Structure formats: C-alpha cells, structure tokens
Amino acid sequence: MTVIHQDDVIQSVADALQYISYYHPKDFIDAMAAAYEREENPAAKDAIAQILINSRMCATGHRPICQDTGIVTVFVHVGMKVTWDADMSLDDMVNEGVRRAYQLPDNILRASVLADPDGKRQNTKDNTPAIIHHKLVPGDQVDIHVAAKGGGSEAKSKFAMLNPSDSVVDWVMEQLPKMGAGWCPPGMLGIGIGGTAEKAMEIAKEALLDPIDIQDLQARGASNRAEELRLELFDKVNKSGIGAQGLGGLTTVLDIKVKDYPTHAANKPVAIIPNCAATRHAHFTLDGSGPVALPAPKLEDWPEITREAGDNVKRVNLDTVTPEDVRAWQPGDTLLLNGKLLTGRDAAHKRMVDMIAKGDPLPVDMKGRFIYYVGPVDPIGDEVVGPAGPTTATRMDKFTRTMLVETGLLGMVGKAERGQEAIDAIRDNQAVYLMAVGGSAYLVAQAIKKSRVVGFEDLGMEAIYEFEVEDMPVTVAVDSAGTSVHQTGPAKWKDIIAQTA
C-alpha cells in the first residue's frame, strides 16, 4: 500500500507549474527548430526565430515564456491501492500547488483567472481554481499531468455535433480559417471525437499532452482511423499556407493529435482545441517517496539562432512619428519601435469607450500615439516589467473605430489578425496595425526600458501603462490602406505550396 503525502502533491504541482512556465518540452523545441530550417517565408521564419530565441532566454533566465501564464488544467490518475496522508481534498491540494506556483517571489506568474465570469469578473489573485480531471485506475501510484493553457489559444476552441455521415476532415478544415492566428501557430491541434459534448472537449484537451511524434507516424503508417485522421489533417492544415503567426508559410501545425471515444449511434461530437507556441505541460508520478524532481533540460537542446535584419527594417520614433510616416509603411515591413508606447487591453478599452460615450475625459491623451494590447507579468528584481508579449487583437476590434475617431489614436500593436470591422476602421482613419509575435514575451520585454501606470491602476495588469521602448520588433500587419498581411500572406503561400506539391 502506497502512502501519498499531502505536501508532496502540493509541492510537486507547484514545482511543475514553475518548471513549465520557463521550459518548453524538448519535443516542441526540436519540432520548431525543424520548422525554422525549412521555412521559406522570411516573415514566418523571423517569427519562429523570435519564438526560439525567447524560449532559450526563458530557460536561462527562469522567466515566463508568455505573459499569459495560463489557466491550469490538471489530469490526475489515482491508483486504487493508494492511501492518503492528507487533511485536504485532492482538489484543494492541487489548488494550493497552483497558488504557491503563481505567487513564488522568484518567478511571479500572472494571475489570469476571474471569478463571477459573467458579472464582476474579479481576479482571484492566485490563478485558482484549476480545471481538474480525476480518474481512478489500477495501481499504487498517482499519475499527474499539469498544463498551463493560454487564453488566446483556448478562445479558438471549436465544437460541433456532426451527423454520423459528416466528414471530420471537412469540418476541421472549415473551422481553420475561422480560428485565425490568435492561437499563435505553429502549435498543435487536439481533436476529440465521440462520447458526448463534454467528453469530446475533454479528450481533445487531453490529446495535447501527448508528445510530438507525427514524423514517426508518417514513417510507420496509420494503424487505426484516429491515426489516419492525424496524417490527413497534418498534410491538409500545413497546405493551407496559414503559417507561423498567420503570416503565410510552410508550417502551421507541428502535429495533430486525435483521441476518440464510443458515442451514441445518432451522434458524432467533434472538438478542436489548439495549443499555441507557448506549449506548457509536464507529467510526473508520485510513488510515496517524496515530491517530484523534474530534470532541467540542457542548454544545447536549443538551437543557436540569430535573427536576420533584412532589407526592409525601419526604425520608428514613436514620439515624433506622423500620419505621413504611417501612410508610407507597407504591409510586411519590419519596424523597430522606439519611444513612448501606451498599453491597454479589454478592460481598459471598455472603460475608455464608456467614458467617451459619457463625455468624460480619458486619463491620458492618445492623439497621434500608439497603443499596445498587453497585460504584462509583474516585474521581479531589477526588471522594468515582466514578460510582456501581445494579446489577441481581435478582442479589441469592436472598440477600434471609436478609439481611432474619438481619441486621434494613430496605431495599435497586438497579436494575430484583425477582423474586417477593425480593418475598415483602420483604412477609414488612415491608421495602422502592427503585429508583435505571440510566444516571445520575454524577448519583447527586453525592449522595454521604462514603465509607469498612467491610468486605471485598479485594473492591475489591464491598467494603462506607458512603456519606453528601444528597438521593439513589429510587423506592419494592416497598413493605412487597409491591406492585411493575414489575408494576403496565407493566400500567397497556399498557392506556392499547391504549385510545388
């Protein structure tokens, strides 16, 4: 009979969450490095380079890979011969581990979980509660998978109750354009088929815990329908040309994972859950001998990559930039931002739009300025700011026209594509949207030299900050004429891939 101690569960969960905050799994690094080597689109290749450079920096600096340090999902398999030396419930043990991990002073992780989700949406301050799945299994050990899932990729999850005769492949390929690039490709797609609605979603999430091994499957061939789907979808998704960060390119997914479960004769539930470039998960087993000790990866596991400057790089002074300068920028141009950059995301935008409607003055003048959609991690030590990568820009689309018309805002910086509503507003106001790479938060933070709150301090990480930046890399994603690289890039590369197939 194995005795599992309460403190061992708590400490192991806490240590694992810290571990995955700054260490990518080796299989992910290997797959990304291979994608970098074969990528032919310079913009996509640079995005992958930033992700890999950021990953290496986080591994050495022990700081978060992404500013969105995720909502915690835990799968616990408890051996039926296990006994417990514990006063707390298993859920309480896991949540105490989450609490300790996210509040560790040496590496503070951003608390993103909100209670009262359709009401006050109040931050729980410690990223609890986790989403916990339990299963009783034969044996005398406790098997635990922990994952930290970013909100941007989780928001792109899809579910449908298909008819039994409907094609899963057709449905997945139909959903792919609707998902956009907010899930930060290249990553993985977890697909759950069967069971009931909630079971399909659960096994889709669980599928993402498996290692990247599509090349092994390609070499040996499929042995069942789930593996056939993996191979077919891997090929078709990558031929879509969406590419890294939706810029167009050869690699959109590193792997496709499929799990299935028996279902009712009248049903075919299907779920898609994407995993982003900040893939974070770990697996460990407790056998009663103490908390887990996860081995640190070797630095040589990361490829040595240097970003290439290219011919179209322009340095921009945000303090003196003019509308005429903005109109000269072309889609796909790489800019290095310097000067003062405001921040603001969902909560700040809603509050500002409400204030504008009431005729109230805003806390900061935005005329001629740029705003960065970001919710940074708190700084530690001598940091100016913690990891501060972009959040998904489409969430701000409904505010964009009001902000551009009423405040004189000149440009925005965020992650992934903009919807047509925002593109039209950008074109009509001859503004611009710039894209920073999702999944390179610690790298981006190195460009931030000063930071201060200038509005809505009560919103915490969603407050309006003023950053002073030096050579912050961005790409012109929607120019002043309304041309979007997230529309032109994938279309171009889909054609290129088709012609070379």
Side-chain angles (χ1 to χ4, degrees):
M1 191 75 73
T2 300
V3 179
I4 302 296
H5 302 279
Q6 174 176 293
D7 287 347
D8 291 350
V9 176
I10 294 170
Q11 195 60 51
S12 297
V13 169
D15 290 347
L17 288 169
Q18 278 285 316
Y19 182 96
I20 65 176
S21 77
Y22 44 72
Y23 288 144
H24 268 129
K26 186 177 185 303
D27 60 296
F28 177 86
I29 294 299
D30 291 344
M32 284 291 282
Y36 174 80
E37 291 300 328
R38 66 175 170 266
E39 186 55 65
E40 297 175 12
N41 177 5
K45 193 176 185 76
D46 182 63
I48 297 172
Q50 289 189 51
I51 291 167
L52 285 168
I53 292 167
N54 179 76
S55 179
R56 185 184 174 98
M57 290 173 62
C58 294
T60 56
H62 285 193
R63 290 296 274 143
I65 293 165
C66 181
Q67 80 289 338
D68 183 349
T69 51
I71 184 169
V72 176
T73 302
V74 183
F75 289 85
V76 187
H77 292 181
V78 180
M80 291 187 290
K81 292 183 180 179
V82 162
T83 60
W84 295 90
D85 174 20
D87 300 319
M88 302 167 71
S89 71
L90 180 55
D91 281 14
D92 287 345
M93 290 182 233
V94 170
N95 282 320
E96 179 58 28
V98 174
R99 188 172 292 113
R100 289 187 188 180
Y102 278 73
Q103 296 180 332
L104 185 72
D106 291 344
N107 182 38
I108 297 169
L109 306 180
R110 196 186 83 185
S112 302
V113 173
L114 309 181
D116 193 12
D118 194 41
K120 293 182 179 179
R121 293 182 65 82
Q122 188 168 354
N123 199 301
T124 63
K125 305 295 187 183
D126 57 12
N127 223 53
T128 66
I131 309 301
I132 306 169
H133 303 277
H134 317 89
K135 186 181 291 185
L136 283 173
V137 299
D140 59 358
Q141 298 179 330
V142 175
D143 196 66
I144 300 178
H145 268 103
V146 297
K149 189 69 160 54
S153 62
E154 190 72 3
K156 302 301 181 178
S157 302
K158 303 290 182 183
F159 172 80
M161 189 64 76
L162 300 185
N163 292 319
S165 61
D166 291 343
S167 165
V168 171
V169 172
D170 289 350
W171 179 76
V172 171
M173 296 308 297
E174 180 185 339
Q175 303 313 305
L176 200 63
K178 301 175 187 177
M179 292 166 60
W183 59 281
C184 283
M188 294 197 296
L189 297 181
I191 298 173
I193 306 170
T196 52
E198 79 279 10
K199 185 65 174 179
M201 295 299 286
E202 180 185 340
I203 60 178
K205 179 66 68 66
E206 192 173 15
L208 292 171
L209 302 175
D210 291 342
I212 296 171
D213 61 357
I214 193 69
Q215 285 75 26
D216 294 339
L217 178 57
Q218 288 172 324
R220 65 175 170 81
S223 61
N224 54 48
R225 180 56 183 156
E227 291 183 345
E228 290 173 358
L229 286 170
R230 286 182 63 193
L231 291 173
E232 184 176 356
L233 283 168
F234 181 76
D235 182 59
K236 287 187 173 180
V237 171
N238 281 325
K239 284 182 176 177
S240 70
I242 291 170
Q245 302 290 300
L247 294 169
L250 303 181
T251 302
T252 301
V253 288
L254 304 174
D255 203 343
I256 299 280
K257 297 297 183 183
V258 178
K259 283 187 181 291
D260 59 22
Y261 195 87
T263 192
H264 190 283
N267 301 145
K268 191 191 280 187
V270 185
I272 305 172
I273 302 182
N275 221 4
C276 64
T279 293
R280 293 166 295 201
H281 59 85
H283 169 235
F284 59 88
T285 299
L286 298 178
D287 60 8
S289 62
V292 68
L294 294 169
K298 300 173 183 176
L299 196 59
E300 52 264 33
D301 290 342
W302 279 264
E304 289 278 7
I305 290 176
T306 303
R307 293 182 63 216
E308 299 173 8
D311 298 327
N312 62 344
V313 175
K314 300 179 174 68
R315 273 194 168 79
V316 174
N317 185 339
L318 293 170
D319 301 331
T320 60
V321 66
T322 66
E324 291 72 27
D325 294 329
V326 167
R327 288 195 290 271
W329 298 342
Q330 299 299 307
D333 282 354
T334 299
L335 309 180
L336 297 176
L337 302 183
N338 293 269
K340 293 181 174 63
L341 176 66
L342 296 172
T343 79
R345 42 178 288 166
D346 310 64
H349 273 75
K350 185 178 187 309
R351 189 176 290 185
M352 285 189 287
V353 167
D354 289 346
M355 292 173 72
I356 290 167
K358 295 175 184 176
D360 296 337
L362 299 183
V364 60
D365 183 6
M366 297 198 172
K367 185 175 178 59
R369 302 195 68 178
F370 281 65
I371 193 165
Y372 180 28
Y373 303 149
V374 63
V377 175
D378 289 343
I380 62 169
D382 59 358
E383 288 181 342
V384 170
V385 66
T391 197
T392 306
T394 50
R395 297 203 311 274
M396 268 52 73
D397 282 2
K398 63 183 179 181
F399 306 118
T400 298
R401 185 172 292 275
T402 299
M403 292 295 296
L404 294 177
V405 171
E406 299 295 337
T407 72
L409 190 70
L410 188 55
M412 300 148 284
V413 183
K415 180 183 80 174
E417 77 284 351
R418 304 306 299 263
Q420 195 59 48
E421 175 185 18
I423 292 172
D424 291 345
I426 291 167
R427 179 200 61 220
D428 294 347
N429 291 276
Q430 294 193 308
V432 71
Y433 167 61
L434 311 174
M435 189 207 81
V437 171
S440 61
Y442 195 38
L443 175 63
V444 171
Q446 308 314 302
I448 303 168
K449 304 306 179 183
K450 292 183 181 179
S451 172
R452 67 187 182 102
V453 175
V454 293
F456 308 153
E457 186 171 7
D458 61 297
L459 294 180
M461 63 95 174
E462 293 208 57
I464 299 176
Y465 292 78
E466 183 180 74
F467 290 163
E468 289 192 29
V469 298
E470 288 183 10
D471 286 352
M472 175 178 166
V474 294
T475 300
V476 178
V478 180
D479 72 357
S480 60
T483 302
S484 169
V485 295
H486 288 101
Q487 294 174 357
T488 60
K492 172 185 174 182
W493 282 89
K494 183 177 181 179
D495 288 344
I496 292 172
I497 293 168
Q499 292 168 13
T500 57

